[in-house]
């Protein structure tokens, strides 16, 4: 099965015990996806919290420098180092938080393993005293249309790679080159329109998020797919890639922050639970994640503590 990406090697190093933390970047889910597929913790901070100087960009608008760890506490520690700040954790109990479970888009097409683990985790959190409201977010259904031309990653990666593609395209993975080349057809007017549409979308979402401390979703809707079919078929690869990015990329477009933590039981394939919110709500998301991790650890099917 795939290790998840694009911080594949980093996540595998942490899962195998070769490292206690892996640094990486998250443009649409590249920290949280491998964390979810390998039973790890991945924290995507608000992008502006951590400088990206010296990093090769994929999307200057969406890129976030962040890390994969073994626990939420480790995620807090590494974030404090990367952002050169102390997180203001209030240590609020679960019953003092108001959490939302978006039913629009984020719960679509869940495979049986993800649906079972996520439903069980939500039940465990409610049993521990959490207030979790199931809420429709129609704005989430608008996001795919917003990025129909390829989005920021296509436009901005094309701007960075276009000269090298002109002379060295044979050195690129063909599937990567195809995705970058989508940016070639995006005009300056399209790009400006996308920024304006995103700003309006964020403003609408932030109005909706004000009622809640954080939101809960499956990090990805499927468990790690088998490798062989994705190698053999471009169509299967692109379909799996789009599905894996669907939930996590919402947070990048929101300019928000999110943490993925494991919520599966012993003996099951890894499944991630994502705790997320809008821009600069990092401390609230981390605080909620600590309480959620502790509550899940007390459930009968809890994974052993690392």
């Amino acid at each position: 099965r795939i290790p998840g990406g694009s911080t594949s090697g980093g996540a595998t190093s942490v899962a195998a015990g070769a490292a206690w933390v892996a640094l990486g970047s998250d443009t649409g889910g590249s920290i949280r996806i491998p964390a979810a597929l390998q039973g790890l913790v991945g924290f995507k901070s608000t992008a502006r919290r951590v400088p990206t100087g010296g990093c090769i960009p994929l999307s200057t608008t969406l890129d976030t420098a962040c890390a994969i760890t073994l626990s939420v506490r480790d995620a807090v520690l590494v974030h404090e180092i990367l952002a050169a700040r102390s997180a203001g954790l209030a240590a609020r109990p679960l019953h003092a938080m108001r959490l939302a479970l978006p039913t629009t888009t984020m719960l679509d097409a869940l495979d049986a393993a993800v649906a079972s683990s996520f439903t069980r985790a939500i039940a465990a959190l409610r049993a521990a005293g959490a207030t979790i409201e199931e809420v429709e977010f129609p704005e989430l259904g608008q996001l795919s249309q917003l990025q129909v031309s390829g989005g920021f990653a296509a436009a901005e990666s094309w701007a960075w790679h276009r000269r090298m593609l002109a002379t060295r395209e044979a050195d690129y993975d063909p599937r990567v080159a195809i995705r970058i080349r989508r940016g070639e057809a995006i005009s300056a007017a399209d790009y400006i329109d996308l920024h304006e549409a995103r700003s309006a979308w964020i403003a609408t979402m932030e109005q909706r998020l004000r009622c809640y401390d954080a939101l809960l979703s499956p990090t990805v809707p499927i468990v790690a797919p088998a490798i062989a079919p994705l190698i053999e078929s471009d169509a299967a690869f692109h379909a799996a890639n789009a599905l894996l990015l669907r939930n996590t990329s919402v947070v990048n477009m929101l300019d928000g922050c999110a943490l993925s933590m494991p919520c599966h039981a012993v003996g099951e394939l890894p499944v991630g639970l994502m705790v997320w919110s809008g821009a600069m709500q990092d401390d609230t998301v981390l605080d909620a994640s600590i309480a959620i991790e502790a509550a899940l650890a007390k459930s009968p099917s809890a994974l052993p503590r690392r």
Side-chain angles (χ1 to χ4, degrees):
R1 294 175 182 270
I2 67 167
S6 58
T7 313
S8 313
T12 302
S13 296
V14 176
W20 73 274
V21 61
L23 303 182
S25 60
D26 189 310
T27 304
S30 293
I31 285 288
R32 289 162 289 153
I33 293 168
L37 298 189
Q38 297 204 48
L40 302 168
V41 171
F43 177 57
K44 178 227 170 307
S45 61
T46 303
R48 74 195 80 157
R49 291 278 198 191
V50 179
T52 55
C55 300
I56 294 177
L58 173 58
S59 166
T60 50
T61 297
L62 304 176
D63 290 348
T64 309
C66 40
I68 294 170
T69 60
L70 292 168
S71 69
V72 178
R73 285 287 182 185
D74 285 352
V76 174
L77 174 60
V78 177
H79 171 66
E80 289 180 326
I81 294 168
L82 292 176
R85 61 182 289 268
S86 295
L89 302 181
R92 293 171 64 199
L94 267 182
H95 64 77
M97 300 178 192
R98 188 181 181 194
L99 305 172
L101 198 171
T103 58
T104 308
T105 302
M106 309 293 271
L107 300 180
D108 292 350
L110 302 186
D111 71 20
V114 172
S116 174
S117 293
F118 184 72
T119 300
R120 188 173 58 226
I122 294 299
L125 295 178
R126 283 176 168 146
T131 299
I132 303 173
E133 300 176 17
E134 296 186 14
V135 186
E136 290 186 11
F137 278 80
E139 297 83 3
L140 297 178
Q142 302 163 4
L143 204 49
S144 59
Q145 188 59 36
L146 206 66
Q147 304 181 90
V148 70
S149 65
F152 292 111
E156 292 167 354
S157 63
W158 169 249
W160 200 91
H161 287 274
R162 67 190 189 279
R163 294 180 183 87
M164 287 191 291
L165 279 168
T167 58
R168 299 185 59 180
E169 186 165 351
D171 295 331
Y172 282 72
D173 182 300
R175 289 171 174 171
V176 173
I178 287 170
R179 292 170 69 191
I180 293 173
R181 279 201 171 276
R182 290 188 69 188
E184 189 174 7
I186 299 175
S187 69
D190 292 336
Y191 182 69
I192 291 169
D193 286 347
L194 179 58
H195 270 287
E196 292 177 351
R198 183 200 187 205
S199 295
W201 183 80
I202 288 173
T204 302
M205 280 291 291
E206 286 182 339
Q207 286 288 337
R208 304 264 282 146
L209 298 181
R210 286 180 182 175
C211 301
Y212 304 101
D213 293 290
L215 294 85
L216 306 177
S217 304
T219 308
V220 293
I222 56 175
V223 294
I227 293 172
L230 305 187
I231 294 175
E232 296 162 2
S233 166
D234 285 347
F237 169 83
H238 290 299
N241 190 62
L243 197 54
L244 288 168
L245 284 164
R246 187 195 67 198
N247 287 6
T248 54
S249 62
V250 167
V251 182
N252 300 79
M253 282 297 286
L254 183 62
D255 190 26
C257 50
L259 183 140
S260 176
M261 70 177 75
C263 67
H264 58 286
V266 175
E268 297 177 344
L269 286 171
V271 172
L273 181 151
M274 185 166 68
V275 186
W276 57 285
S277 190
M280 307 304 282
Q281 299 302 308
D282 305 72
D283 294 353
T284 302
V285 165
L286 289 170
D287 204 40
S289 296
I290 289 171
I292 290 168
E293 182 185 53
L296 292 180
K298 294 176 182 176
S299 66
S301 59
L303 291 167
R305 286 187 174 273
R306 293 181 185 264

